[in-house]
Amino acid sequence: QVQLKESGGGLVQAGKSLRLSCAASGNIFNIRDIGWHRQLPGKQRELVARVTAGGDIKYADSVKGRFTVSRHNAENTVSLEMNSLKCEETGVYYCHAQVVEGIWSHAKDYWGEGTQVTVSS
């Protein structure tokens, strides 16, 4: 089994910054994609940013230029630096990873419990 533990959520004023971190632990052989999704009130969960094992990065169009995702393979961690936050980005942010648990295993999707980000005006 694999656990993803997020940290860093909280209350921040619009226009300010917040940094989220996620640490993966457990039975990890390697991690393919790892990144962040979010669920805003009344909306479906959506991709924010992800990093492939090869280092390719994808951002949602709405966060390009403001958010930066960083992957640290040695520690099995990923962070998300969020700048110029907007009130409408209030929601729950989830860490997601595709984890391979053994040399003959297929990748499995794992999710963290989520961390609340509240952006006030």
Side-chain angles (χ1 to χ4, degrees), residues 35-67:
W36 296 90
H37 286 64
R38 67 187 178 188
Q39 188 157 18
L40 309 181
K43 297 188 177 181
Q44 290 188 331
R45 193 175 297 190
E46 62 179 3
L47 173 71
V48 177
R50 69 165 179 255
V51 190
T52 69
D56 293 329
I57 296 176
K58 179 177 176 63
Y59 291 102
D61 288 343
S62 61
V63 307
K64 286 179 181 177
R66 297 187 297 119
F67 289 16

Side-chain angles (χ1 to χ4, degrees), residues 16-111:
K16 300 296 186 181
S17 300
L18 202 61
R19 180 182 177 90
L20 305 181
S21 296
C22 173
S25 62
N27 191 28
I28 299 171
F29 180 71
N30 64 49
I31 298 177
R32 295 187 178 174
D33 289 7
I34 189 168
W36 296 90
H37 286 64
R38 67 187 178 188
Q39 188 157 18
L40 309 181
K43 297 188 177 181
Q44 290 188 331
R45 193 175 297 190
E46 62 179 3
L47 173 71
V48 177
R50 69 165 179 255
V51 190
T52 69
D56 293 329
I57 296 176
K58 179 177 176 63
Y59 291 102
D61 288 343
S62 61
V63 307
K64 286 179 181 177
R66 297 187 297 119
F67 289 16
T68 302
V69 64
S70 300
R71 172 177 181 154
H72 311 282
N73 290 327
E75 295 85 22
N76 289 329
T77 60
V78 64
S79 60
L80 183 69
E81 183 75 30
M82 304 184 291
N83 298 317
S84 302
L85 280 161
K86 304 174 182 179
C87 294
E88 56 265 35
E89 294 181 305
T90 293
V92 181
Y93 287 66
Y94 297 90
C95 181
H96 168 258
Q98 294 179 328
V99 180
V100 178
E101 297 180 50
I103 191 168
W104 303 113
S105 301
H106 295 291
K108 293 181 184 177
D109 287 307
Y110 286 94
W111 294 88

